[in-house]
Amino acid sequence: MDTDARLTHIRTRAQIDGKVMATALAADLGVAVQTIRRDLRQLCAAGLLERIHGGAVLPSGVSNIGYGDRRALNRDIKIRIARRAAALIPDNASLFLNIGTTTEAVAHALQAHQNLMVVTNNLNVANILASNPSCDVVVAGGSLRRSDGGLVGDLAALAIDRFKVDFAVIGASAIDLSGDLLDFDPEEVRVSQQVIKAARATVLVADSSKFTRKAPVKIASLAQVDHFVTDRVPSEALINRCSDWRTRVALV
């Protein structure tokens, strides 16, 4: 089977099952796993699939992929983004970290920081930073989203309204090439919007795969972001817009 036929087969299986795994595809098609991995990289680079650990899933415009798969997606890039973002945060600062696997990576990167006050609606972030004795952690109450440990809804938004922090470190599920930051859950988006209002500076942490995804609810625009930490911006026009908006882009 040639490359085009394999790619068509992989896309068909993904459309039927929602997910494909490299080892199963290799056995099904009688080729090496390395060959399937190259095919998956090609399909993901074209925005037709999204990589997860061991395979790929269909990109969705109405619902997010599972938390475990999101954690595995572009893990090394997220670590680099997190380290660069953490370098923007000085000791003795207050900040907010919202829901997301990249913001959780930032929490890990803040372990050596001193005298931080961190407000979060992410129970995973709270648990990560609980091991830093020099970090005060405030959890914004809300409705628990069991799928990823997020706290959302009116109570979370009201809790955040009581704070004015130095930095908001936020993620997004998708980024439109117009510069709009997008997500899936309107309840989560409401909290993220409140976070941006409550911060003196906003740091967006998002890898370039977010440019290949779609989501239905707008959080904000890159024009409202002070720092955008990513591995790649696929549009020269968007880079120019960021310059016009005075949004500083840091590539890792």
Side-chain angles (χ1 to χ4, degrees):
M1 184 179 288
D2 63 19
T3 300
D4 288 342
R6 287 199 312 273
L7 296 178
T8 299
H9 177 86
I10 293 169
R11 288 189 65 191
T12 301
R13 291 309 315 169
Q15 289 164 356
I16 293 171
D17 300 332
K19 177 192 290 189
V20 288
M21 303 305 291
T23 52
L25 285 170
D28 187 27
L29 297 175
V31 297
V33 173
Q34 290 82 356
T35 300
I36 297 298
R37 287 174 180 159
R38 286 196 299 270
D39 293 340
L40 292 177
R41 283 196 294 270
Q42 183 174 337
L43 289 168
C44 291
L48 300 173
L49 295 177
E50 290 184 4
R51 286 302 299 267
I52 60 172
H53 182 66
V57 295
L58 282 177
S60 171
V62 295
S63 61
N64 212 345
I65 62 177
Y67 174 73
D69 289 336
R70 279 186 281 141
R71 286 190 68 186
L73 190 65
N74 298 321
R75 181 176 297 175
D76 292 341
I77 293 172
K78 289 177 181 177
I79 291 172
R80 298 205 308 270
I81 290 171
R83 289 172 178 167
R84 178 67 68 87
L88 297 172
I89 309 298
D91 291 338
N92 307 299
S94 60
L95 66 147
F96 189 96
L97 289 169
N98 76 344
I99 302 169
T101 55
T102 310
T103 52
E104 290 170 20
V106 175
H108 281 292
L110 291 170
Q111 291 284 22
H113 277 56
Q114 299 293 311
N115 300 319
L116 294 181
M117 177 182 179
V118 177
V119 184
T120 185
N121 65 327
N122 184 337
L123 292 182
N124 299 315
V125 164
N127 287 327
I128 291 165
L129 287 173
S131 62
N132 181 348
S134 185
C135 178
D136 290 330
V137 180
V138 178
V139 178
S143 298
L144 175 63
R145 197 167 63 187
R146 288 180 173 83
S147 61
D148 59 6
L151 296 165
V152 298
D154 291 342
L155 288 176
L158 286 170
I160 292 160
D161 191 45
R162 300 178 62 185
F163 293 91
K164 187 70 176 182
V165 295
D166 297 320
F167 298 92
V169 182
I170 65 168
S173 294
I175 306 173
D176 192 88
L177 287 177
S178 67
D180 288 337
L181 315 181
L182 307 167
D183 224 310
F184 295 95
D185 184 352
E187 295 296 307
E188 179 181 351
V189 166
R190 183 179 174 196
V191 175
S192 295
Q193 290 171 338
Q194 193 65 43
V195 167
I196 293 171
K197 292 178 182 177
R200 297 180 178 91
T202 298
V203 181
L204 173 67
V205 289
D207 65 80
S208 59
S209 71
K210 303 300 174 70
F211 288 102
T212 67
R213 306 192 69 201
K214 296 179 181 179
V217 189
K218 180 178 175 179
I219 304 169
S221 165
L222 274 169
Q224 298 167 256
V225 170
D226 298 279
H227 301 272
F228 176 25
V229 187
T230 187
D231 58 308
R232 185 173 66 92
V233 178
S235 165
E236 188 69 28
L238 183 54
I239 292 175
N240 292 335
R241 286 196 192 103
C242 286
S243 178
D244 293 339
W245 293 328
R246 298 185 180 178
T247 300
R248 291 178 285 279
V249 178
L251 300 178
V252 299

